[in-house]
Amino acid sequence: MPSKSDFAPLSFLSLPLIARDIIYKELLSVNSTKTEKPYPDTCRSSNSFIVIECAAPELDQKKGEFGKEDKRIMLFKVTLWPKRCETVAIPNERMRVWLGHDDPVGKKKKRKTPASKPWFCVVLAEELRNVLAGLAVFQNENGTYRTFGLSARVTMTPTKAEETESKRTTREAKLLDPLLNFRFLKSMKIEGASDDNMRYISEQVCRQKWDNYQVYSTITALIQAGDNCFGLGHHDAASGYYNRAHDYAIHFISNEKQIIIHPADPVAFLFKINLQRARNWIEQDNFEDAIDATQCALSAAEMLSQTNEPSVGPPPLDEHNGISRGRFRQWTCECIRDGAAKFGQRIKAEDIGCAYHYRSITEQAIEGRAIGIGCCVISDAAPKDAPRPLLELDMRTMQRLRIHDSDDEWESDGEG
């Protein structure tokens, strides 16, 4: 019998990127800014949009920057459709964020050249954290944050339906919390929110120092968003979130030298992100990238858990100074379990086992499968059915490869 989820409305995030860009383009077309939206079903009421208005030249992204591999430059443009115009009217708009320079009070700043039109980005409320995480650390070639010294104005759209104080607080938090990614702003004014939320956020975004807990929360939220998309089978969207989490984490580890909360957190985050990227790429049959991600995850695990210097002692040798393959696997799994416990299970033994198993899939190595299952079995914290997802991933991958090989055979027979 079909479940309720089988009849769930189509999520905007599940659409291909090309289709989403077309919808963004339609939303920001000239006609939609002057007349009523002719296609109300294009944006269902379940989809809430945020408008970001960039009125500062510092935020312009030049075409040449997209090909650079400079780690100091982090482009924040993801699944957005930008448009330069005077203004835009968006159905189901929940919040608008303006970024630019405030003119001095009482004085009109004379410009040598006419000010260019601002450009607008429309983004789903669910994607706002992803976009602002990149925008907050977007840098020039000299390493200066491009939002440094800018002012921000945030306008929240009031809801038509009545809501309790508790619901209002929850709604505001979902919309405003991603703004906490900002730092180094000159000022921020918020309209339409409670006084406590306005005061707290306005103070935080003007601080000249990154908050460790905020960085930790953002990386965690991006990984979770990727996991949610993965669970729905939206692997392209999942890759976007995992890649953003990876770039965001690398930025703070390399540039800001952030320890986040615990000294082991940077390595633990890199392990987890690469582990999820590998799993996602395997589901897409992208084995080349999956191999690299798996190797990065295992290198991070070895660095953190110190499996190369285990406290369980050296491998037990027999009278001939040898060791059976099965006994060596058991010793390896015990080393991994011991290393995971040293740092409070920031990297769990069963997760390291997953990395070995992913590598076995991408490299067709039986040994990795045995260690992967063994880590799941020997871990003190793993559930009893921990090996099941690995075996199911194996089966799905082999079925896809079998279908692919069968198609190749048909093509070969046709050519003959």
Side-chain angles (χ1 to χ4, degrees), residues 249-266:
I250 288 292
H251 172 83
F252 283 99
I253 295 170
S254 303
N255 292 6
E256 299 295 334
K257 309 299 181 184
Q258 298 275 116
I259 63 168
I260 306 180
I261 293 178
H262 187 277
D265 283 337

Side-chain angles (χ1 to χ4, degrees), residues 223-289:
I223 295 174
Q224 184 60 55
D227 291 345
N228 293 341
C229 291
F230 178 88
L232 295 172
H234 306 159
H235 299 299
D236 286 337
S239 290
Y241 283 114
Y242 292 144
N243 291 341
R244 173 66 72 201
H246 179 266
D247 292 347
Y248 189 79
I250 288 292
H251 172 83
F252 283 99
I253 295 170
S254 303
N255 292 6
E256 299 295 334
K257 309 299 181 184
Q258 298 275 116
I259 63 168
I260 306 180
I261 293 178
H262 187 277
D265 283 337
V267 179
F269 270 131
L270 292 181
F271 169 83
K272 186 171 185 178
I273 294 169
N274 280 297
L275 185 70
Q276 304 303 73
R277 293 167 96 189
R279 180 188 63 168
N280 191 59
W281 278 324
I282 289 174
E283 290 285 11
Q284 294 180 294
D285 296 333
N286 182 358
F287 298 118
E288 184 176 354
D289 288 334

Side-chain angles (χ1 to χ4, degrees), residues 6 13 41 104 117 121 134 158 164 167 225-227 233 244 284 318 326 353 364 369 381 403-404 416:
D6 295 330
L13 281 172
D41 290 338
K117 295 179 181 179
C121 287
T164 62
K167 287 186 177 180
D227 291 345
R244 173 66 72 201
Q284 294 180 294
D318 56 24
Q364 296 297 308
R369 281 179 170 83
I403 293 174
H404 178 73

Side-chain angles (χ1 to χ4, degrees), residues 71-333:
K71 296 298 182 183
R72 295 174 303 176
I73 300 176
M74 187 178 207
L75 302 177
F76 66 90
K77 180 179 173 185
V78 281
T79 56
L80 301 177
W81 195 90
K83 176 77 173 179
R84 285 194 182 275
C85 52
E86 295 294 342
T87 185
V88 293
I90 303 300
N92 299 333
E93 180 181 331
R94 296 292 179 262
M95 186 171 71
R96 184 166 293 218
V97 181
W98 176 91
L99 292 166
H101 294 281
D102 278 336
D103 290 335
V105 179
K107 297 181 180 179
K108 289 188 176 181
K109 193 174 181 180
K110 294 183 179 180
R111 302 180 183 273
K112 295 181 180 179
T113 58
S116 60
K117 295 179 181 179
W119 58 271
F120 294 83
C121 287
V122 181
V123 60
L124 278 172
E126 295 90 334
E127 293 181 303
L128 185 60
R129 188 183 303 274
N130 182 14
V131 176
L132 295 189
L135 177 58
V137 294
F138 186 35
Q139 295 177 289
N140 292 319
E141 292 84 348
N142 59 6
T144 301
Y145 291 109
R146 299 198 181 196
T147 56
F148 183 89
L150 295 183
S151 297
R153 291 196 300 269
V154 180
T155 305
M156 302 188 68
T157 305
T159 58
K160 297 179 180 179
E162 294 183 3
E163 58 183 354
T164 62
E165 188 65 28
S166 176
K167 287 186 177 180
R168 179 188 178 187
T169 302
T170 302
R171 175 178 60 86
E172 289 182 357
K174 288 182 178 180
L175 293 172
L176 294 175
D177 281 355
L179 296 173
L180 290 172
N181 284 285
F182 283 121
R183 288 295 184 273
F184 310 106
L185 292 181
K186 180 182 177 182
S187 64
M188 175 178 282
K189 297 179 181 179
I190 304 175
E191 298 178 358
S194 60
D195 292 339
D196 290 342
N197 282 333
M198 289 191 292
R199 188 180 306 108
Y200 175 73
I201 293 178
S202 297
E203 291 175 355
Q204 292 298 314
V205 298
C206 296
R207 292 183 177 273
Q208 303 296 299
K209 185 178 180 181
W210 298 102
D211 179 74
N212 287 335
Y213 180 77
Q214 184 60 39
V215 173
Y216 181 95
S217 300
T218 297
I219 298 174
T220 302
L222 291 172
I223 295 174
Q224 184 60 55
D227 291 345
N228 293 341
C229 291
F230 178 88
L232 295 172
H234 306 159
H235 299 299
D236 286 337
S239 290
Y241 283 114
Y242 292 144
N243 291 341
R244 173 66 72 201
H246 179 266
D247 292 347
Y248 189 79
I250 288 292
H251 172 83
F252 283 99
I253 295 170
S254 303
N255 292 6
E256 299 295 334
K257 309 299 181 184
Q258 298 275 116
I259 63 168
I260 306 180
I261 293 178
H262 187 277
D265 283 337
V267 179
F269 270 131
L270 292 181
F271 169 83
K272 186 171 185 178
I273 294 169
N274 280 297
L275 185 70
Q276 304 303 73
R277 293 167 96 189
R279 180 188 63 168
N280 191 59
W281 278 324
I282 289 174
E283 290 285 11
Q284 294 180 294
D285 296 333
N286 182 358
F287 298 118
E288 184 176 354
D289 288 334
I291 289 174
D292 293 339
T294 302
Q295 190 55 51
C296 289
L298 287 172
S299 298
E302 183 174 321
M303 186 187 308
L304 185 60
S305 62
Q306 298 179 357
T307 54
N308 56 334
E309 295 181 5
S311 59
V312 297
L317 304 178
D318 56 24
E319 62 274 13
H320 302 293
N321 289 327
I323 184 172
S324 67
R325 184 171 296 179
R327 187 68 188 92
F328 180 78
R329 292 171 183 164
Q330 180 182 353
W331 174 81
T332 301
C333 293

